[in-house]
Amino acid sequence: MSASMTVFFVERTGHLLGAVTRNSGVAPASRKGPISEDLLFRFKDGTQATVSGNHLSTLLVAPLPEVPLAPLDFHAPKATDAPPGTAPRPKDVKRLPAAPVSVTLYSDGILVDLGRFATKNENVWILVAGGTLAEPLFVEGTIEKDSQGTTLLTPALAKGVFYQVLALVEDHATFLDRLDAHGPSPIED
Amino acid sequence: MSEPIVRPVFFEGQILAAGDLEAAVGHARGEAARDRRALHTPGIATGLALTGKDRATAAGEKFQEVTLSAGIAVDRTGRQIVLAADTRLDEQLFIDQGVQVKRDPAALYPVFLLGRDVQAPIEPTAACGTTGPTRVTESAEIEFGRPGAELETNNGEPPEPADGVADPSESVLVGFVQWDGRLQKFKRAVLVSGGIGPGFAGALADEVVARNGVLSLRSRRGVDKPALAIDEADDGTLLFGPQDSLGRVVPAFKVDAKGNVTAQGKIAGSAAPGTIQAESGVITDGLVLPLPSGVKPEDVAAGKVALHVHLTALPPGNRPPGGDPIPPLPAEWFAVPLECDLDRASRRVRCRFRWVNVSTLPTKGLTFEDYPGACNYLVLATAPAQAEGQP
């Protein structure tokens, strides 16, 4: 009997948020979300947010020792030739590409910028917590093909106040930082 | 209350009347019936299979010819009912008994077997002075019931202890038929309707003792059919598994006289009293600790299972998660465990490290950041053994 590892990932983007190995090898099968378990995500300053199982899926894979130590460095990618959101994920986890994203908070939205034009539609999932928020804020969207980024509208964020932000863009490195909100987002033509 | 049992006795030179001989026969029949009802449960003892064969009318319309095979049943009073030959179910009898529910063409009608004594006609060749029949036929009659009549079998008051053979017998269910009212023929025969089907005779016993040292229970005789055996060989073993071609149990599960258990498969299910089940591995901060296989969260919550949890922070390497890339190292870090424990209420693991940046010491002093980490876990689930005398 060999050990197994269950990874918990954001269904929309594939980014891992947690992992658990079982030396008994007896583990529940992979489940496409929503799942029944939630997950407590904690930021560097201790701010915490419960990520509901509605956002999550699980995969049962062979254990990789580095994954439980740094799950945010890994993702469960989709099949490369499948349109986004259509293909099942292979039973595999991989280290995320070193493709950073930049995030800017505005009082009325969040700008996610790839720094280059997207070659395909890229799903976005963002968690904002702390600051003036009594409850964590979950925002989802898409960066469309041939665009460089997107601005996702949010409930009001207080200008000048710092928030903890976890921003995940499909096939891009995890963004995790503390940001202060600027004034209203620039109006796009 | 029934009368005491009377057994006929005879003396030398006695002139025997018909009643004396009848009492002798009746006593034997009554004793056999009392044995059967006291030591067995009612039902089919052998045969009595209800089957349908596809047939078609001259116009090509399909129906079934339904047959009840020969066999023996025992009713609740202990009366033996013997159907001596395969018997085709009579459509006219079905019509005559008037059980049809015309508004429900899918209705299933129970088929019963009933034992009845029928006096044979006086034989023309009988001796002069013969005033009555000299034989009784123990007939087995097929009857039909209205849908739902199967629920009424084996009800009512049981016979008194001294009661003899009942005549007629009680009804024994042998299956169901569906009726085609237009063709006036049976559509099909089925054994079970609404979860109710023919019962098979069983045994009433508080002790069963084998005579050759092996006591067996079988689902039926046949290769690969499951069986259970208590075998006194090797100081005694309990065996469960499929039967081989000689009817021997091929053990998939075995318990010896010392209590050693050998199982070919996994033993699962809730933690049994006195057992320990374990799980171990690595888990990241914020996840719910897994339970050993077969341990139910509700049993843990109810206190039926106690958890013993050991967590050890897992050395996180030489840089924070998602921190400065290596090589080259623009900063030097070391980590110390900040917390590594379990929220008992939610069973959620809490594990964080404080990452200290040594590189900032000359300019800003030591700076640090706190990151979630991972820990090794060991979970033992124990179900306390009940002390003797406790429920």
Side-chain angles (χ1 to χ4, degrees), chain A residues 1 6 8 17-27 37-48 50 65 67-73 95 176, chain B residues 266 278-288 290-291 293 314-317 319-322 339 348-353 369-374 377:
Chain A
M1 192 177 292
T6 301
F8 292 73
L17 296 184
V20 57
T21 69
R22 289 175 172 86
N23 291 332
S24 69
V26 180
E37 297 99 324
D38 57 21
L39 177 153
L40 188 68
F41 186 86
R42 296 205 284 175
F43 292 91
K44 283 187 274 188
D45 68 343
T47 300
Q48 59 186 38
T50 300
V67 170
L69 287 170
L72 295 178
D73 292 349
R95 193 171 283 278
L176 178 65
Chain B
K266 289 178 184 172
E279 183 61 276
S280 63
V282 178
I283 188 168
T284 47
D285 173 72
L287 289 182
V288 174
L291 295 174
S293 175
L314 190 63
R319 68 182 182 112
E339 60 174 337
R348 200 180 293 282
V349 169
R350 304 178 70 91
C351 178
R352 286 196 302 164
F353 286 87
E369 292 176 344
D370 298 333
Y371 284 90
Y377 71 88

Side-chain angles (χ1 to χ4, degrees), chain B residues 318 324 326 328-333 357-359:
Chain B
N318 60 3
D324 299 318
I326 50 173
L329 274 174
E332 290 185 24
W333 299 86
N357 188 345
V358 184
S359 311

Side-chain angles (χ1 to χ4, degrees), chain A residues 108-126:
Chain A
D108 58 352
I110 304 171
L111 169 64
V112 184
D113 191 343
L114 300 182
R116 59 173 180 77
F117 290 103
T119 56
K120 58 183 175 64
N121 286 356
E122 305 281 16
N123 285 334
V124 179
W125 184 92
I126 298 173

Side-chain angles (χ1 to χ4, degrees), chain A residues 19 28 33 43 50 60 68 70 74 79 98 133 138 143 154 157 165 173 176 186:
Chain A
F43 292 91
T50 300
L60 187 61
F74 293 86
L133 293 171
F138 296 93
I143 299 174
T154 64
L157 300 173
V165 180
L176 178 65

Side-chain angles (χ1 to χ4, degrees), chain A residues 152-174:
Chain A
L152 303 172
L153 297 179
T154 64
L157 300 173
K159 182 182 173 184
V161 173
F162 279 89
Y163 297 88
Q164 297 291 342
V165 180
L166 170 67
L168 309 177
V169 180
E170 200 168 4
D171 295 327
H172 287 74
T174 300

Side-chain angles (χ1 to χ4, degrees), chain B residues 187-258:
Chain B
K187 270 194 228 174
R188 62 184 181 121
V190 296
L191 288 182
V192 178
S193 170
I196 296 179
F200 291 85
L204 298 169
D206 295 84
E207 186 178 23
V208 179
V209 181
R211 288 156 298 179
N212 65 351
V214 182
L215 181 64
S216 302
L217 279 176
R218 304 170 197 274
S219 69
R220 67 181 69 206
R221 285 195 171 272
V223 175
D224 292 337
K225 299 298 179 189
L228 181 72
I230 300 172
D231 190 341
E232 67 185 21
D234 301 330
D235 295 328
T237 51
L238 173 71
L239 309 167
F240 172 77
Q243 300 171 61
D244 65 12
S245 58
L246 299 176
R248 296 172 300 201
V249 176
V250 180
F253 179 85
K254 177 179 175 182
V255 185
D256 70 16
K258 292 177 182 171

